Amino acid sequence: MPMGHTATEQAGSGGLTATEHRLDNGLRVVLSEDHLTPVAAVCLWYDVGSRHEVKGRTGLAHLFEHLMFQGSAQVKGNGHFELVQGAGGSLNGTTSFERTNYFETMPAHQLELALWLEADRMGSLLSALDEESMENQRDVVKNERRQRYDNVPYGTAFERLTALVYPEGHPYHHTPIGSMADLDAATLEDARAFFRTNYAPNNAVLSVVGDIDPEQTLAWIEKYFGSIPSHDGKQPPRDGTLPDTIGSELREEIREEVPARALMAAYRLPHDGTREADAADLALTVLGSGESSRLHNRLVRRDRTAVAAGFGLLRLAGAPSLGWLDVKTSAGVEIPQIEAAVDEELARLAEEGPTDEEMERAQAQLEREWLDRLGTVADRADELCRYAVLFGDPQLALTAVQRVLDITADEVKAVAAARLRPDNRAVLVYEPLPADEAADGAADSDEQEGAAE
């Protein structure tokens, strides 16, 4: 049996515990017992995301997320979905800049099935990967890009802002969805090489949370995963280091068929895992999270110049995090009016800092979100994997809220003054097309679709 350490309750963990183990092939295992309900969550994080891709092959990590559901040596076609759902479970997978994850939540007595399924595709997916499944999932991903990015209002905003904040050549310059051209260019051999390099046990963390017997669970993990060989050929991701600030405002205006004018901006903020990132999270919560936030009160409730105003943090470990501002204007309101009000509120926070009441509310809000994440077995399994992969220590997941509660108002003020400045942002301004141009564009689109059919 693999060796591990015993469960130790961490200070500030709310009584939650986790044990860590490692198989001989390098697979890291994290277990957390929770007998409140008879369910168990399995979460598998592979240390591969879009930051590991190379120029000309963007989107490969996300494409492979789809390919992992296309069958393996003993599970054909759509069998992974059919077996999990037939056993009363749920499942999915996602891809980000920094990882790809797969997860199942099962009735506790079906845990062995989920572990066997994950081990089968980790160990034998290449035997089922062929041109047919490659073409099938390439089309699925391209259609996903159309539906979520290219053909919806404001759909390419995140992609555009990411490309501005992280310059050409930076590993975070492109988003996980990838480009159409690169998706078309990916070959079956590209996919096979990608799998061999990244889908190895020594490049993964497996967490199991819920109504489990740890000894039996470890025995199943050793049985199904233990014989899968490790792989030592992976190259580390390219360096994501950047200056703390962009240095000058970057700006684009986009004229598209959108329902309202919009001001969107991305700010370069501290790396996740630092006190400064926690302070930035609190700053953005004060400014733009919920109906009690400054921007909502100013723009939506008081001035009535916007119908929605939000400001949130995308935490990133391998590059500066991203502060995402999103304001949709009320009818007839011009962008300069919105922008002046936003800058005034940001400058006021940088000069005065948050009030005691704002700090208490923001910390309570982030504490509630942390409790929500750890309160379900699926989200707790995901958090344990996240801290293991990105920071090397899953136990940090159980105490993350204490680090947020330790942040002072002065630290929030300092990060606002240092980072929430016009010279540290990329800005998108959306201007709706006039009605006649929008109608012409719709007619052109209809003609092209008719021709394609």
Side-chain angles (χ1 to χ4, degrees):
M1 288 299 298
M3 299 299 293
H5 66 65
T6 57
T8 303
E9 183 177 325
Q10 302 287 311
S13 69
L16 300 175
T17 61
T19 60
E20 302 169 54
H21 315 265
R22 190 183 292 270
L23 304 194
D24 289 342
N25 60 10
L27 178 67
R28 296 182 66 186
V29 178
V30 185
L31 305 180
S32 180
E33 288 184 78
D34 184 341
H35 301 289
L36 185 62
T37 55
V39 296
V42 173
C43 184
L44 189 58
W45 269 46
Y46 290 94
D47 185 13
V48 58
S50 59
R51 67 171 173 165
H52 297 86
E53 296 166 349
V54 297
K55 188 173 182 179
R57 290 297 181 269
T58 65
L60 199 53
H62 179 230
L63 175 61
F64 219 95
E65 173 211 317
H66 286 257
L67 290 172
M68 284 283 277
F69 290 98
Q70 287 298 288
S72 49
Q74 301 179 77
V75 183
K76 304 303 179 186
N78 203 41
H80 197 110
F81 275 100
E82 294 168 356
L83 287 167
V84 170
Q85 293 172 340
S90 60
L91 72 162
N92 213 329
T94 67
T95 310
S96 77
F97 290 103
E98 300 182 324
R99 59 96 183 105
T100 308
N101 66 346
Y102 303 90
F103 44 93
E104 296 88 7
T105 301
M106 307 288 283
H109 69 281
Q110 296 285 4
L111 171 60
E112 185 180 8
L113 172 62
L115 293 171
W116 174 75
L117 284 167
E118 287 294 358
D120 191 56
R121 61 181 175 182
M122 178 190 282
S124 68
L125 185 112
L126 282 184
S127 66
L129 183 58
D130 56 21
E131 289 287 359
E132 182 180 358
S133 59
M134 181 81 171
E135 288 306 312
N136 176 281
Q137 290 311 299
R138 191 200 314 268
D139 288 342
V140 168
V141 172
K142 289 170 66 176
N143 194 48
E144 180 181 337
R145 181 184 169 91
R146 294 184 190 100
Q147 292 180 338
R148 295 186 180 182
Y149 286 74
D150 297 336
N151 296 336
V152 295
Y154 318 107
T156 60
F158 181 70
E159 189 174 42
R160 291 172 184 269
L161 284 173
T162 298
L164 290 172
V165 172
Y166 306 107
E168 182 75 38
H170 190 274
Y172 293 67
H173 178 70
H174 68 279
T175 57
I177 193 67
S179 73
M180 286 292 198
D182 288 356
L183 288 169
D184 283 333
T187 66
L188 181 60
E189 186 47 46
D190 288 333
R192 287 174 172 162
F194 190 87
F195 178 85
R196 285 191 293 266
T197 300
N198 296 294
Y199 280 76
N202 55 317
N203 196 48
V205 173
L206 171 67
S207 66
V208 185
V209 176
D211 188 16
I212 64 173
D213 176 335
E215 186 175 344
Q216 177 62 76
T217 301
L218 276 173
W220 284 330
I221 291 170
E222 177 67 37
K223 176 181 178 181
Y224 297 124
F225 288 89
S227 61
I228 301 172
S230 60
H231 187 280
D232 297 326
K234 181 185 173 184
Q235 296 297 313
R238 288 169 291 135
D239 184 17
T241 303
L242 287 171
D244 287 350
T245 59
I246 298 171
S248 62
E249 183 182 84
L250 307 173
R251 196 176 191 89
E252 287 185 8
E253 180 174 310
I254 302 164
R255 297 176 60 82
E256 285 185 359
E257 189 177 355
V258 292
R261 289 190 178 99
L263 173 69
M264 299 186 189
Y267 292 75
R268 191 180 289 174
L269 295 176
H271 289 242
D272 194 14
T274 62
R275 286 186 68 91
E276 291 81 9
D278 291 332
D281 207 351
L282 287 165
L284 301 197
T285 301
V286 168
L287 286 165
S289 182
E291 294 185 1
S292 62
S293 67
R294 290 190 181 189
L295 291 176
H296 182 90
N297 275 320
R298 169 75 181 269
L299 299 173
V300 180
R301 183 174 296 168
R302 193 193 86 182
D303 297 351
R304 298 186 179 181
T305 53
V307 295
F311 207 176
L313 179 67
L314 173 61
R315 288 176 175 262
L316 296 170
S321 299
L322 203 65
W324 176 268
L325 173 74
D326 186 350
V327 182
K328 305 297 193 310
T329 70
S330 300
V333 176
E334 301 284 344
I335 291 297
Q337 183 179 356
I338 292 288
E339 194 165 4
V342 168
D343 285 344
E344 187 177 310
E345 292 301 326
L346 268 58
R348 186 162 67 90
L349 183 65
E351 183 177 346
E352 302 172 3
T355 65
D356 291 343
E357 181 183 354
E358 286 176 325
M359 277 294 290
E360 183 178 356
R361 186 167 56 239
Q363 287 175 321
Q365 187 171 332
L366 294 182
E367 182 176 20
R368 188 203 68 228
E369 293 172 2
W370 174 78
L371 289 169
D372 287 346
R373 288 195 299 273
L374 295 193
T376 68
V377 294
D379 285 347
R380 192 187 317 161
D382 191 64
E383 286 292 292
L384 290 168
C385 279
R386 172 175 171 251
Y387 279 92
V389 170
L390 299 180
F391 304 107
D393 184 2
Q395 305 293 339
L396 292 172
L398 306 181
T399 57
V401 72
Q402 191 57 52
R403 294 186 289 280
V404 172
L405 297 179
D406 286 342
I407 299 299
T408 66
D410 284 342
E411 288 176 287
V412 173
K413 175 183 175 182
V415 79
R419 302 296 189 103
L420 300 181
R421 304 169 0 193
D423 66 349
N424 186 37
R425 69 185 178 197
V427 176
L428 292 185
V429 173
Y430 277 88
E431 288 287 344
L433 290 173
D436 55 344
E437 290 186 40
D440 290 343
D444 291 343
S445 176
D446 290 343
E447 289 175 7
Q448 290 171 3
E449 289 179 8
E453 293 170 355

